[in-house]
Amino acid sequence: MKATFFKRFRKVFVSGLIVLAGYIAWACAGGDLVDGEDSNFAPEAFADSAYTPFFYSQMFYYDINYDTEHNSRFNNINVQEWSNYLGDLANPTEVDFLINKASRGYIDSAMADLGNVYSISPPATYSLGIVGKGKNEKVKSFFRYLAYAKDCESFAVKENEYWDYEKKETDISTADARLYSAMHKAFTDSKDEFIRQRFWFQMVRYNFYFNVPAAVTLFEKYKDRFTKNSIYYRTMASAAGSLYKQKNYAKANYYYSLVFAESDKLKTVAHWSFHPQEEADWKQTLALCKNNEERITLWQMLGIFYKDEIRSLQEIYKLDPKSVKMDVLLTRFVNKNENEYSWLVDRTDSKEKIKAALPWLKEVADKGNTSNPFLWNTTVGYLYFLSENYNSAEAYYKKAGSQLPNTSLAASQLKLLTLLNKVGSLKGIKPADEDRLLHELQWLYRRSDDILVSKFRYAEAQRWIKKKLAKKYQLQNDPVKAECFVSTSRFYAVDNNIEKLKALLTKKNPTPFEEFCASMSEKKTEDLWAFQAIRDAYGDNIDVAIEKMRQAGGEAELVFAGNPFNARINDCHDCDHMATQKVKYSKLAFLQKVKEMKSNIASGTDVYNNAMLLGNAFYNISHYGNGRYFYESAVLGSGHYSPFTIDSILNAIEKNNPEFKMYDAQINAYNAYAKGAKSLDPPQIGAGFFMTPYNTSMWRPDAMM
């Protein structure tokens, strides 16, 4: 390890480093980031839940983002510990109220009423049963301590200072020096070790704020006399913070590692405060360790903090191959590199990291001397899969299968990774392959449970497998099955493709795999008929469009927001949509009305008005009209800000070999009917009436249907 190993991270933490006993500033705890959306490897299947915040995350801490429990972290534990101490003298509800909700003034009132005998009207505090038992020495000790603890909250509990980066340390002159003297006297006078330990905690914490050297001295004096419980490690945390203030980084980090190892509640804050500065102080910290387990914790924290998981894994493995503290580091390495590598983003650095780490990881997995061989074999198998070495991946997954933990998450995890490997290894897809994969594919795509709840990461696998199968089907010239897994615009440029997909979706006796493909298709039969009807309508093949739209199901009954036959001098779609409609037109009704008007023109009936209304209609179903809703559909999409954002493939649809351009067809149809009307123009209708692809601003007479 070089000194630069620590230096390169220093700037990142200089302004943000807050020692554990202080208050940690945090940014917004909300956000849209969700861990695991682009992952196939769930750390919950492998590692102890105590390390959950340290699973690899795009957030600050996994699952929680920022640690925001600094004022409430020990509320429940305090209630439990005091309830155990008081026994039948108080129930937990009373204890919770007094510790976490009652004011300092209320505590004073209760102390004044302890053990009093009343004749007529009892004091308000007698609603708490513990007050009536105030002659008991434990009750007296509890209230005496609680009064001092409430006073300490004035400097130890900080509210609404999350963004106050300029706040200063509390000035000792503002503190009531009598508070410390009173606590010290209570500590000295008490013979009850439970009470004494809690006063010890309050005094060490007090000194962290007001007399740093004294905090360390007081902790060291009594650290071997008290039980190593939750309050002990809270006290050690304050001592560690004091050491850090004195720039004794080696010992501060050593204490933080002890807190990290022994207190699950304090793991995040110990991790945040842990910060080796240089190679020299890191070696000094290691030298303070009394045994290998303490050294392992330090290497584990270093691997999490500085994100060099493999190096820490190797150091821990030398000390104890069976250490469970390796598990979280190994899952972090996998998640970090699968996230940057594989099918999402092909980053050379992750490829190289996997390539460099695999030989050692394989060696450890092959020795089989870790406490979690399932994790190691699954990891090696998955890294081989990411490297597209499917045969090796399969071999390690088989080994992992014989070591499977008795949890549904672990079983699902291995099943998922095995399926990914089977799909990745396919050279082509034969009927036998389809039969072999069908059951597992059905299992995967039936999943709809909340990933946040189940912790099983399957969404990325669902996406990847569809993409992989579609590509393989395309390569073997089976565009219909490819379309079922990944929909592309190009597919719909060929009418024969649409007919074949219709045939698959409506097949009376499909094979089980054909039935599965049909269920996977984004486009349903009605969508295909609707697309063909829209396409024919723009080609002015209205009779054919009507027959196809009749089979488009609900799509045919969707109603225009405005009257598509109306026009106004100045375009105002919102005005058209808000206007009273004497007749509301669905897509099918619109086509039927267009057919009626065409018949009128052909028979010479009211040619001018019918031609004008048809011109309006074909304009309005263009992108610029009030009825663009007509072409918005499952195939063509919706919400286009320009007609040219419609996929170019669909804007140049093959129809009986000649190129058919949907946008040009709109223009041609509009101009044809407008020309028919202009030949019968009343004198007031002027020139400049025709529509061009790049000029849709024209004078048009109002017409109402």
Side-chain angles (χ1 to χ4, degrees):
M1 187 196 319
K2 297 181 180 179
T4 54
F5 180 81
F6 298 106
K7 286 181 180 178
R8 59 182 170 160
F9 293 97
R10 182 174 300 160
K11 289 183 180 180
V12 177
F13 293 97
V14 165
S15 63
L17 181 64
I18 307 294
V19 293
L20 180 145
Y23 194 78
I24 294 181
W26 65 85
C28 302
D32 296 324
L33 290 175
V34 177
D35 286 312
E37 285 188 316
D38 50 7
S39 166
N40 299 308
F41 197 87
E44 292 89 347
F46 305 101
D48 190 325
S49 60
Y51 294 105
T52 296
F54 311 103
F55 294 159
Y56 178 74
S57 176
Q58 297 181 55
M59 300 187 286
F60 197 86
Y61 283 119
Y62 180 84
D63 211 28
I64 62 172
N65 199 2
Y66 294 95
D67 180 357
T68 61
E69 295 187 352
H70 308 293
N71 291 338
S72 60
R73 192 184 313 278
F74 289 97
N75 284 3
N76 293 335
I77 291 176
N78 284 336
V79 170
Q80 180 182 346
E81 291 176 348
W82 277 107
S83 295
N84 291 339
Y85 172 76
L86 293 167
D88 295 336
L89 296 170
N91 63 58
T93 302
E94 291 180 346
V95 174
D96 179 42
F97 170 74
L98 291 167
I99 292 177
N100 297 320
K101 301 178 182 68
S103 66
R104 177 65 163 87
Y106 188 94
I107 299 301
D108 288 340
S109 297
M111 291 177 70
D113 295 333
L114 287 180
N116 287 346
V117 177
Y118 59 92
S119 56
I120 301 175
S121 178
T125 59
Y126 264 67
S127 60
L128 298 178
I130 188 174
V131 174
K133 302 170 184 176
K135 292 184 178 181
N136 185 283
E137 197 58 41
K138 281 190 173 184
V139 173
K140 292 179 182 178
S141 297
F142 168 61
F143 277 98
R144 185 184 306 117
Y145 170 81
L146 193 54
Y148 293 131
K150 294 285 184 180
D151 288 338
C152 290
E153 287 181 358
S154 64
F155 56 82
V157 177
K158 308 292 179 69
E159 297 284 359
N160 302 322
E161 297 185 6
Y162 312 152
W163 297 96
D164 184 6
Y165 297 121
E166 303 300 325
K167 64 179 181 289
K168 299 178 181 179
E169 293 289 340
T170 306
D171 191 331
I172 191 170
S173 64
T174 65
D176 186 356
R178 291 173 298 178
L179 172 61
Y180 185 83
S181 297
M183 289 194 297
H184 190 273
K185 184 177 187 307
F187 169 77
T188 304
D189 292 347
S190 178
K191 306 301 181 187
D192 188 318
E193 288 300 294
F194 181 88
I195 298 295
R196 280 172 57 81
Q197 188 175 22
R198 273 171 153 69
F199 274 117
W200 177 55
F201 159 70
Q202 294 290 357
M203 290 189 296
V204 172
R205 185 172 65 169
Y206 179 99
N207 284 326
F208 166 82
Y209 289 103
F210 305 118
N211 190 358
V212 172
V216 177
T217 301
L218 185 61
F219 176 77
E220 297 290 347
K221 182 177 181 179
Y222 293 99
K223 68 182 176 66
D224 295 325
R225 303 187 190 183
F226 290 116
T227 303
K228 293 182 178 180
N229 49 23
S230 68
I231 202 73
Y232 180 91
Y233 289 104
R234 292 170 69 186
T235 311
M236 178 178 277
S238 293
S242 300
L243 287 164
Y244 198 96
K245 283 185 174 183
Q246 294 177 301
K247 298 185 178 181
N248 187 344
Y249 302 123
K251 194 165 188 178
N253 288 323
Y254 174 61
Y255 278 170
Y256 284 137
S257 72
L258 297 180
V259 172
F260 184 88
E262 300 299 333
S263 174
D264 289 346
K265 281 286 186 182
L266 287 171
K267 272 183 166 54
T268 51
V269 243
H271 162 260
W272 176 248
S273 301
F274 176 83
H275 188 216
Q277 303 288 309
E278 302 283 356
E279 173 74 13
D281 70 79
W282 173 245
K283 287 183 176 179
Q284 291 169 13
T285 302
L286 286 171
L288 291 171
C289 294
K290 295 181 173 59
N291 51 54
N292 280 349
E293 193 60 31
E294 292 183 355
R295 296 182 186 92
I296 286 170
T297 298
L298 280 170
W299 281 110
Q300 181 193 43
M301 292 183 75
L302 193 73
I304 293 170
F305 193 84
Y306 287 119
K307 302 176 175 60
D308 190 354
E309 293 86 3
I310 293 298
R311 179 167 180 253
S312 288
L313 281 166
Q314 291 172 334
E315 294 294 339
I316 294 172
Y317 186 76
K318 291 176 189 175
L319 296 169
D320 180 9
K322 291 194 175 298
S323 175
V324 297
K325 294 179 180 178
M326 291 190 289
D327 295 354
V328 64
L329 293 171
L330 190 51
T331 65
R332 283 178 57 88
F333 177 79
V334 173
N335 288 150
K336 182 164 62 176
N337 289 289
E338 70 161 344
N339 183 270
E340 296 176 349
Y341 174 53
S342 71
W343 45 87
L344 285 175
V345 182
D346 193 351
R347 294 187 181 176
T348 303
D349 58 345
S350 285
K351 283 185 177 180
E352 292 303 316
K353 286 176 184 177
I354 290 174
K355 183 179 179 181
L358 249 176
W360 181 76
L361 295 173
K362 177 181 179 301
E363 179 184 344
V364 173
D366 289 345
K367 286 182 179 178
N369 60 346
T370 64
S371 65
N372 194 348
F374 172 71
L375 166 60
W376 286 83
N377 283 312
T378 304
T379 293
V380 172
Y382 187 43
L383 295 180
Y384 271 127
F385 163 76
L386 292 176
S387 305
E388 298 182 2
N389 186 339
Y390 302 118
N391 290 334
S392 294
E394 182 181 6
Y396 279 91
Y397 288 155
K398 285 182 178 178
K399 289 173 65 176
S402 65
Q403 302 152 343
L404 190 65
N406 187 26
T407 69
S408 60
L409 180 57
S412 295
Q413 176 66 86
L414 185 59
K415 185 174 182 177
L416 177 74
L417 297 182
T418 302
L419 175 58
L420 286 169
N421 198 59
K422 288 178 181 177
V423 172
S425 65
L426 290 172
K427 303 299 182 185
I429 308 178
K430 303 179 180 65
D433 297 318
E434 294 175 340
D435 293 341
R436 179 169 58 91
L437 292 173
L438 178 60
H439 181 71
E440 291 172 84
L441 291 172
Q442 289 172 328
W443 165 78
L444 176 61
Y445 289 101
R446 274 199 296 259
R447 300 200 68 88
S448 60
D449 53 323
D450 188 345
I451 294 176
L452 295 176
V453 175
S454 70
K455 303 303 181 184
F456 178 41
R457 301 179 177 185
Y458 58 83
E460 177 55 29
Q462 289 178 331
R463 289 188 288 267
W464 184 81
I465 287 177
K466 287 198 292 186
K467 184 178 177 181
K468 206 74 172 176
L469 291 176
K471 184 176 181 180
K472 292 178 185 294
Y473 278 121
Q474 283 287 7
L475 289 174
Q476 62 188 49
N477 197 29
D478 192 342
V480 175
K481 284 183 179 174
E483 172 64 19
C484 287
F485 290 103
V486 177
S487 185
T488 63
S489 298
R490 185 173 297 277
F491 179 85
Y492 297 93
V494 180
D495 202 56
N496 190 43
N497 286 345
I498 301 174
E499 295 302 325
K500 286 182 177 179
L501 181 54
K502 277 188 200 173
L504 175 65
L505 296 177
T506 58
K507 192 172 182 179
K508 290 185 178 179
N509 295 303
T511 66
F513 196 81
E514 287 175 334
E515 187 175 6
F516 173 70
C517 287
S519 72
M520 294 296 294
S521 175
E522 290 181 13
K523 312 297 191 296
K524 304 309 175 187
T525 310
E526 292 79 6
D527 300 326
L528 307 183
W529 284 112
F531 170 69
Q532 289 179 317
I534 293 165
R535 180 197 62 190
D536 287 325
Y538 283 120
D540 205 15
N541 298 314
I542 302 302
D543 289 343
V544 176
I546 289 172
E547 291 308 311
K548 291 179 178 176
M549 189 62 82
R550 289 184 195 278
Q551 300 181 74
E555 185 77 18
E557 301 306 319
L558 294 176
V559 176
F560 284 83
N563 191 316
F565 297 98
N566 283 356
R568 61 181 68 241
I569 293 174
N570 295 318
D571 277 352
C572 178
H573 298 166
D574 289 343
C575 301
D576 291 344
H577 296 169
M578 294 173 65
T580 301
Q581 298 179 48
K582 296 178 182 179
V583 179
K584 290 191 176 182
Y585 291 95
S586 66
K587 291 186 179 184
L588 178 58
F590 167 77
L591 291 173
Q592 290 169 332
K593 194 65 177 179
V594 168
K595 178 180 179 180
E596 178 187 327
M597 291 177 178
K598 288 186 67 177
S599 297
N600 288 339
I601 292 173
S603 65
T605 304
D606 198 8
V607 174
Y608 171 76
N609 281 325
N610 280 288
M612 279 302 305
L613 293 171
L614 283 175
N616 290 339
F618 275 92
Y619 172 77
N620 278 324
I621 63 171
S622 77
H623 174 81
Y624 299 102
N626 67 24
R628 73 173 69 164
Y629 187 54
F630 178 74
Y631 70 74
E632 293 184 341
S633 60
V635 174
L636 286 163
S638 61
H640 308 100
Y641 66 85
S642 161
F644 303 107
T645 59
I646 299 173
D647 194 289
S648 60
I649 295 296
L650 297 179
N651 227 339
I653 303 173
E654 244 182 33
K655 187 168 186 268
N656 300 323
N657 292 325
E659 188 180 62
F660 172 78
K661 294 189 177 178
M662 186 178 72
Y663 187 59
D664 289 348
Q666 296 174 26
I667 297 165
N668 293 338
Y670 171 79
N671 285 333
Y673 290 107
K675 184 177 180 181
K678 193 172 189 312
S679 67
L680 302 171
D681 275 355
Q684 69 268 26
I685 295 184
F689 188 77
F690 295 104
M691 176 179 175
T692 66
Y694 303 100
N695 176 18
T696 59
S697 176
M698 74 293 287
W699 188 91
R700 289 174 293 140
D702 287 340
M704 294 295 292
M705 283 293 292

